[in-house]
């Protein structure tokens, strides 16, 4: 049990640590990040119940299972919790903060899913799970947080609505595509999922670097304005 728990926790914490420590100028309060991670863990239970209900009541094909049961339901619940627990919080004061908190919720969700899977299928699948399901959840969270960060700090209400829509729509689309590749392509799925993950990683890293640059600029601007105010 302990080894299974460790194998389930390790990839999620490693990926979260990478994005958390990337912000070397003004890291988020650790207790807030831990709360977000735990929120993601707790989200697994209602999502599993709702998914089970749909599967029992409806005869859903591969496409609906991928884009609705997995993509929409999981990403919507994550987005909903981030929006109402973190987005309006005072600690969400820089564009990069959205990435940290959304990644924490997503990786918390992925960690408990990973734990249940390893309990059922054994530790031999741990490396595969770390490379694909856990990291993909984390990267969907990075992109969700990137657009939440853009929405939070844009003045134009129209653009704010667009970014909020993208913060939910893009993770749903990517998550559904990921699941569809794994379930629909029998022998060719490795040839599709490998480039998909490479592109996902590269886009997520570029977006996180862009958000970090904007956060550092905003932090220095606040520091400068504070110094100017003290001189007056």
């Amino acid at each position: 049990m302990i080894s299974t728990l460790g194998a389930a926790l390790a990839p999620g914490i490693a990926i979260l640590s990478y994005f958390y420590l990337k912000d070397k100028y003004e890291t988020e309060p650790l207790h807030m990040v831990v709360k977000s991670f735990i929120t993601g863990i707790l989200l697994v239970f209602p999502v599993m119940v709702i998914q089970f209900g749909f599967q029992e009541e409806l005869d859903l094909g591969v496409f609906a299972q991928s884009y609705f049961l997995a993509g929409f339901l999981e990403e919507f619940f994550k987005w909903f919790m981030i929006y109402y627990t973190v987005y309006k919080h005072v600690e969400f004061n820089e564009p990069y903060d959205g990435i940290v908190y959304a990644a924490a919720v997503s990786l918390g969700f992925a960690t408990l899913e990973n734990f249940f899977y390893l309990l059922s299928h054994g530790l031999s699948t741990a490396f595969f799970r770390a490379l694909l399901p856990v990291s993909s959840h984390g990267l969907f969270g990075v992109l969700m947080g990137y657009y939440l960060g853009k929405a939070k700090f844009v003045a134009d209400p129209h653009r704010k609505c667009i970014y909020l829509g993208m913060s939910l729509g893009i993770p749903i689309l990517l998550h559904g595509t990921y699941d569809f590749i794994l379930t629909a392509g029998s022998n060719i799925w490795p040839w599709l999922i490998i480039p998909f993950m490479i592109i996902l990683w590269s886009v997520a890293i570029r977006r996180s670097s862009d958000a970090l640059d904007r956060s550092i600029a905003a932090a220095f601007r606040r520091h400068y304005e504070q110094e100017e105010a003290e001189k007056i």
Side-chain angles (χ1 to χ4, degrees), residues 2 8 23 39 73 76 94 108 112 128 132 150 154-155 175 178 186 208 210 228 232:
I2 294 177
D23 186 2
T39 297
L73 286 179
F76 172 77
E94 294 176 357
L112 187 58
F128 166 80
L132 292 181
K150 296 201 77 168
V154 69
H175 193 152
Y178 167 86
S186 54
S208 66
D210 174 65
E228 290 299 307
I232 297 175

Side-chain angles (χ1 to χ4, degrees), residues 134-146:
V134 177
S135 63
S136 63
H137 269 284
L139 299 175
F140 302 149
V142 168
L143 295 176
M144 180 183 291
Y146 172 78

Side-chain angles (χ1 to χ4, degrees), residues 156-175:
D156 182 5
H158 178 66
R159 290 176 63 195
K160 185 183 291 288
C161 290
I162 291 174
Y163 288 140
L164 282 174
M166 293 174 72
S167 70
L168 177 60
I170 289 176
I172 288 173
L173 180 62
L174 290 172
H175 193 152

Side-chain angles (χ1 to χ4, degrees), residues 10 25 86 109 139 154 166 168 172 185 196 222-224 232:
Y25 184 76
V86 175
F109 188 97
L139 299 175
V154 69
M166 293 174 72
L168 177 60
I172 288 173
F196 178 86
R222 286 199 307 271
H223 181 68
Y224 173 77
I232 297 175

Side-chain angles (χ1 to χ4, degrees), residues 43-175:
L43 271 179
V44 172
F45 298 104
V47 171
M48 286 178 63
V49 170
I50 294 170
Q51 287 175 328
F52 179 77
F54 275 111
Q55 287 174 325
E56 288 295 303
E57 296 297 325
L58 301 175
D59 184 18
L60 299 175
V62 172
F63 185 87
Q65 289 183 26
S66 300
Y67 285 92
F68 176 69
L69 283 187
F72 175 76
L73 286 179
E74 294 183 15
E75 298 305 324
F76 172 77
F77 273 89
K78 287 187 246 176
W79 183 90
F80 183 86
M81 292 304 298
I82 294 164
Y83 184 81
Y84 284 101
T85 62
V86 175
Y87 182 79
K88 299 179 181 180
H89 198 281
V90 66
E91 292 295 347
F92 194 157
N93 56 7
E94 294 176 357
Y96 190 79
D97 296 351
I99 288 177
V100 174
Y101 292 121
V105 172
S106 295
L107 288 166
F109 188 97
T111 295
L112 187 58
E113 270 195 340
N114 194 31
F115 176 70
F116 288 149
Y117 190 93
L118 294 180
L119 275 181
S120 300
H121 297 85
L123 290 175
S124 60
T125 60
F127 182 71
F128 166 80
R129 295 285 302 176
L131 282 180
L132 292 181
V134 177
S135 63
S136 63
H137 269 284
L139 299 175
F140 302 149
V142 168
L143 295 176
M144 180 183 291
Y146 172 78
Y147 288 105
L148 283 171
K150 296 201 77 168
K152 174 86 172 181
F153 299 101
V154 69
D156 182 5
H158 178 66
R159 290 176 63 195
K160 185 183 291 288
C161 290
I162 291 174
Y163 288 140
L164 282 174
M166 293 174 72
S167 70
L168 177 60
I170 289 176
I172 288 173
L173 180 62
L174 290 172
H175 193 152

